[in-house]
Amino acid sequence: MRLSPDDIIFWQYGFIKLNATIVFTWAVMLVLAVGSTVITRHLSTGLKRSRWQNLLEIVVTAIQGQIEEVGLSQPHKYLSFLGTIFLFVATASLCTIIPGYEPPTGSLSTTVALALCVFVAVPLFGIEEQGVGGYLKSYLKPTVIMLPFNIISELSRTLALAVRLFGNMMSGAMIVGILLTITPFIFPIVMSLLGLLTGMVQAYIFSILATVYIAAAIRTRQREPQPEPGGK
Amino acid sequence: MLIDWFTVAAQALNFLILVWLLKRFLYKPILNALDAREKRIAAELADADAKKAEARQERDEFQRKNEEIDQQRAALLTKSEEDATVERQRLLNEARKESDDLRTKWQEALRSEHQSLSEELTRRTREEVFAIARKTLADLATTNLEEQMTDAFIRRLHKLDSAERGELESAFKAASTPAIVRSTFDLPSAQRSAIEGVVKDVLAIETHVQFETAPDLVSGIELSANGHKVAWSIGNYLASLQKHVDDLLNVPPKAATKAIAPPEQQANG
C-alpha cells in the first residue's frame, strides 16, 4: 500500500529523483505564482477593483491580521514566510478535489521540510530581533536546568509539526482511497469535503503554530524591560 | 522509509523559492496597493475636511452678509419711513397753508363783495328814496324835493347854536378859498341865492359861495370852509335804515325764529 506520493517516481538518476511530491509541489507553486502574477499585474489603487484583487487583498489582510493578533507587532516582516506556509498548505489541500492529484503535504518529506524551515526560521528571527547572545540566553530561562528541556521542546515541537500535518493529510487521502473501494458512491464525496475542511484547519494550525513559535522567540526580549505587576 | 531526504531538501528549496515568488508577485504588490489606497482615502478625507471647513467658512460669510443686508434693509426702511413722515408733514403743512390762504382770499373776496353790495344797496336806496320823496312831495305837497331840501338846509343853518356859529365864522374868515356848497343835484338859482343870503345873514360875513354838484354826496347839501362844514342830508336816515336792515340780516337764526314765533307764545314768554 502506498502511503506517500514519494513512492511515485517519474524519473530517477542515482540519488536524484523526480517523484510525485516534487512534481505536484511545482504544480502548486506554478498555480500560486502565475495566479498572483496575473492578478497583481493590473492592481487598482482606487476604490473600484476587480474581484480577484479583492480576494487576494482579503487573504493577505486576514493573514496579516492573524499574525498581528498572535502578538507580532510588525506583521509585514513575517508575512512572506508565514503567509506562504499557509497558502502552500491550503492550496495543496484544496487541489485534492482534482482527480489524480496527490497532495504534496501528504508526504512526510514535505512536512519535514516545512517543519525544518520553521525550525531554522524561529532562531533566525529571534537572533535578528535580540542578537545571538540574547536568543541563546532564552534557552537558559527561567533557569539553567531548563536548557535540555528547552532544546527537547524545540526539537519535539518541530517533529510534532511535521507529523501532525503529514498524518492529517495522509489519513485524509488514505480514507478517501479506502472508502472508494468499499462504498464508491456519495460517502467518499462527504469524506472529501471533510478532507478539505481538515486541510484548511491544518493549514491554519501549521501557520499559526509557526507564528506562535516566532512570537515566543521574539517576545522573550520584549517582556524583559517590563517587570510583571505585583511581582507574580 | 517515509522520509526521503532528497525530497526533503528539494521541498525545502521549493518552499524557499515559493516564499520569494509570493513575496515578489503577491505580498508586495498587494500591500503597496493597500497602502496607496489608504493614502488616497486619507488624502480624500483630508480634502473633504478642507472642503467642509471651506464650506463652513463660506456659509458663515454668507450668513454674515445676509445679516448685513438685513440690517441695511432695515436701516433703509427706517430712513424711508422717516422721510415719508417728514414729507407727509411738509405736504400737510403746505396744504393747510394753501387752504388758509384760500380761505383768507375767499373771506377777503366775500368781505369786498359784501361791501360793494352794501354800497350798491346804499346807492340804490338813496336813489329810490329820492325818487319816492320827490314823487311824494310833487303829488302831495305840489312842491319839489330840491326846494324842501334847501329849506331844510336853511333851517339847519338858522338853528346853529352860538358855539358852532362862532367856529364856522372863524373858519370862513381864515379860509383863503371861498366857501363851497356841495349838493347831490344841481341847485336852481333861486335856491342858490337863498342859501347865499342865509349864509351872509347867519354868519354875518361877506363871502363868496361857490356851488358844486357832488353826485356821491349822500343825498343832501353841505357847506364847507377850511375843514369845517355844516350839512343836511338824508345820510343819517339812510344810516338808520341800513342799521335796521343790517340788524335784520345779522339776526341769529334762533333769535329770528323767536321773532316769528306765534303771539300767544310771546305772551307766555
Side-chain angles (χ1 to χ4, degrees), chain A residues 66-108:
Chain A
Q66 281 297 319
I67 294 171
E68 208 168 4
E69 264 183 37
V70 169
L72 294 170
S73 55
Q74 292 175 305
H76 59 275
K77 204 165 152 188
Y78 313 101
L79 179 66
S80 305
F81 182 73
L82 297 170
T84 306
I85 289 177
F86 176 78
L87 285 178
F88 175 68
V89 176
T91 313
S93 302
L94 278 177
C95 288
T96 52
I97 55 166
I98 301 168
Y101 169 82
E102 291 282 344
T105 43
S107 152
L108 190 60

Side-chain angles (χ1 to χ4, degrees), chain A:
Chain A
M1 187 173 184
R2 185 165 46 79
L3 282 178
S4 166
D6 288 5
D7 299 338
I8 308 168
I9 297 168
F10 297 114
W11 176 83
Q12 187 164 16
Y13 181 75
F15 179 67
I16 301 163
K17 53 186 147 191
L18 198 62
N19 54 28
T21 308
I22 295 173
V23 170
F24 285 124
T25 301
W26 285 350
V28 170
M29 282 168 69
L30 196 70
V31 166
L32 284 174
V34 171
S36 303
T37 312
V38 168
I39 294 167
T40 57
R41 193 183 293 161
H42 302 293
L43 282 180
S44 149
T45 55
L47 294 175
K48 212 174 174 185
R49 52 198 183 268
S50 67
R51 290 179 199 175
W52 289 106
Q53 184 186 343
N54 230 352
L55 174 73
L56 286 193
E57 282 183 7
I58 289 169
V59 168
V60 171
T61 47
I63 295 170
Q64 218 175 0
Q66 281 297 319
I67 294 171
E68 208 168 4
E69 264 183 37
V70 169
L72 294 170
S73 55
Q74 292 175 305
H76 59 275
K77 204 165 152 188
Y78 313 101
L79 179 66
S80 305
F81 182 73
L82 297 170
T84 306
I85 289 177
F86 176 78
L87 285 178
F88 175 68
V89 176
T91 313
S93 302
L94 278 177
C95 288
T96 52
I97 55 166
I98 301 168
Y101 169 82
E102 291 282 344
T105 43
S107 152
L108 190 60
S109 305
T110 307
T111 57
V112 166
L114 290 176
L116 282 175
C117 284
V118 175
F119 180 74
V120 173
V122 169
L124 280 180
F125 282 125
I127 289 166
E128 187 199 29
E129 193 67 27
Q130 47 190 338
V132 182
Y135 176 71
L136 289 178
K137 268 185 198 168
S138 68
Y139 282 97
L140 304 176
K141 285 175 183 172
T143 56
V144 184
I145 307 163
M146 293 302 286
L147 176 65
F149 298 105
N150 279 332
I151 293 168
I152 291 167
S153 152
E154 199 80 10
L155 292 170
S156 65
R157 78 186 185 190
T158 306
L159 184 67
L161 267 182
V163 173
R164 184 189 299 112
L165 182 59
F166 163 70
N168 277 288
M169 297 312 294
M170 185 271 286
S171 66
M174 193 69 67
I175 285 168
V176 172
I178 293 167
L179 282 175
L180 272 175
T181 57
I182 302 168
T183 55
F185 299 108
I186 301 172
F187 203 62
I189 296 172
V190 178
M191 289 314 292
S192 286
L193 287 172
L194 192 65
L196 281 177
L197 179 68
T198 315
M200 295 309 292
V201 171
Q202 287 308 314
Y204 178 73
I205 288 173
F206 198 99
S207 52
I208 213 79
L209 281 175
T211 314
V212 170
Y213 298 154
I214 291 170
I218 288 166
R219 222 184 281 166
T220 317
R221 186 190 168 196
Q222 288 173 344
R223 275 183 191 164
E224 275 175 0
Q226 300 169 350
E228 288 180 16
K232 286 178 185 175

